[in-house]
Amino acid sequence: MESRTLPVPDGLDGSRVDAGMAKMLGFSRTFAADVADAGGVLLDGRPVGKSDRLLGGAVLEVSWTPRREPEVIPIAVPDLGIAYDDDDLVVVDKPVGVAAHPSVGWEGPTVLGALSAAGFRVATTGAAERQGIVHRLDVGTSGLMVVAKTERAYTALKRAFKEREVEKVYHAVVQGHPDPLSGTIDAPIGRHPSHSWKFAVTPDGKPSITHYETIEAFPRASLLEIHLETGRTHQIRVHMAAHRHPCVGDPLYGSDPVLAERLGLTRQWLHARELSFTHPATGEWMTTESPYPADLAHALEVLSDA
């Protein structure tokens, strides 16, 4: 068991307990929330929950059980596609069920582990379990993801993603028919106020912008092309659910399980279709594309035949 006792800076007065702990102690917000849920946080001697508010100048006492740091374990992923590869970077076509990198609580395959097993070398600074990772895809989302192999590529790509100089195009099948058929959702996203493992549109969330356009409408669903200006966790899933058109096969955000079962889906219909950016070494604009995997293509066929 480890513990820390420290005063709350005035600048964090009014902050949520989990958010303030993350800033003061370097925890992930999820881990901070878990510590609070376990009763490991006292504020001026009184137990507080993750969503309670900090008080500037108060004494914060935190006790927690250290977790073993995640590590990259080489695990072959036969259906991991390589869309592009050179000395600076590799663009992978990630299958569903594979995480971007190791994390506490995840014991399945990862992109970094699959690349290691296939003989790829990633040499950048940063946490060992996240080397080369400049953006992520959810475990349940398939499609394109770039991994930097060199420090030069890592630095340039991180900056490009931060400055929104990367074009990310997703395709999604959502329930119903968005009205209007094309538009922009501009709504801040933050942690869900009552479920730490989910995200939601919240007043104090981070700015998040999603552009969508209907490609094809089916009797009960629509195929959309989606362009992201920002890259928040679960952004498309949260925004479409808030728009009352959740991704088909996404029960976490309110989809109809009956429709997913009829389409043979065991995950959300969401695919990172195109990825475009300036190559960090050549300066050339490059684009990679990914076809629909078999389960998503089958679901579209069923919808088309309805």
Side-chain angles (χ1 to χ4, degrees):
M1 181 72 72
E2 294 189 19
S3 62
R4 288 284 302 276
T5 300
L6 62 168
V8 177
D10 290 339
L12 292 179
D13 182 65
S15 298
R16 281 175 55 113
V17 166
D18 53 0
M21 285 172 56
K23 291 180 179 179
M24 287 189 284
L25 297 172
F27 294 163
S28 71
R29 184 144 174 193
T30 299
F31 182 65
D34 289 344
V35 171
D37 285 341
V41 184
L42 302 178
L43 189 65
D44 279 345
R46 299 188 307 275
V48 290
K50 64 189 177 188
S51 59
D52 290 332
R53 300 292 168 172
L54 295 174
L55 180 65
V59 176
L60 186 71
E61 300 173 67
V62 183
S63 301
W64 71 95
T65 300
R67 292 179 174 177
R68 182 174 62 86
E69 289 298 316
E71 58 181 324
V72 176
I73 300 175
I75 299 177
V77 178
D79 51 349
L80 181 82
I82 303 298
Y84 178 86
D85 176 41
D86 64 19
D87 291 340
D88 292 280
L89 57 89
V90 54
V91 180
V92 302
D93 196 347
K94 187 187 83 66
V96 65
V98 179
H101 56 74
S103 61
V104 174
W106 175 254
E107 298 181 354
T110 67
V111 169
L112 289 185
L115 289 175
S116 177
F120 288 83
R121 294 188 61 191
V122 176
T124 66
T125 58
E129 74 276 7
R130 297 191 183 192
Q131 283 193 350
I133 297 294
V134 294
H135 71 126
R136 294 174 292 179
L137 292 178
D138 296 341
V139 171
T141 300
S142 54
L144 298 170
M145 189 180 132
V146 61
V147 178
K149 288 185 178 180
T150 65
E151 187 62 34
R152 173 179 62 179
Y154 180 81
T155 301
L157 289 170
K158 285 288 285 187
R159 184 199 60 79
F161 274 92
K162 181 178 180 181
E163 299 298 324
R164 304 180 186 178
E165 296 172 353
V166 176
E167 290 187 7
K168 296 170 287 184
V169 179
Y170 292 76
H171 282 189
V173 172
V174 302
Q175 291 180 195
H177 307 121
D179 183 15
L181 294 178
S182 61
T184 296
I185 303 173
D186 185 350
I189 292 176
R191 288 280 176 182
H192 194 285
S194 55
H195 303 292
S196 62
W197 64 91
K198 293 175 60 175
F199 292 82
V201 171
T202 60
D204 57 349
K206 295 181 179 179
S208 308
I209 301 174
T210 301
H211 306 284
Y212 71 90
E213 181 177 355
T214 300
I215 299 174
E216 186 172 359
F218 306 102
R220 294 182 57 191
S222 301
L223 174 64
L224 307 183
E225 180 165 294
I226 296 174
H227 295 251
L228 295 183
E229 280 196 30
T230 52
R232 309 303 177 202
T233 303
H234 296 183
Q235 179 172 322
I236 294 173
R237 299 165 65 189
V238 171
H239 269 173
M240 296 316 301
H243 204 47
R244 299 185 179 181
H245 298 285
C247 293
V248 172
D250 190 8
L252 185 65
Y253 289 103
S255 70
D256 179 5
V258 175
L259 178 58
E261 183 177 3
R262 186 168 70 84
L263 299 180
L265 284 175
T266 57
R267 51 103 165 200
Q268 66 261 14
W269 206 115
L270 180 59
H271 186 65
R273 179 77 164 176
E274 295 182 16
L275 183 63
S276 304
F277 52 86
T278 299
H279 193 286
T282 68
E284 296 180 355
W285 183 256
M286 58 175 289
T287 298
T288 51
E289 299 182 358
S290 168
Y292 299 145
D295 61 337
L296 302 189
H298 172 74
L300 275 183
E301 289 177 5
V302 175
L303 285 171
S304 298
D305 294 339

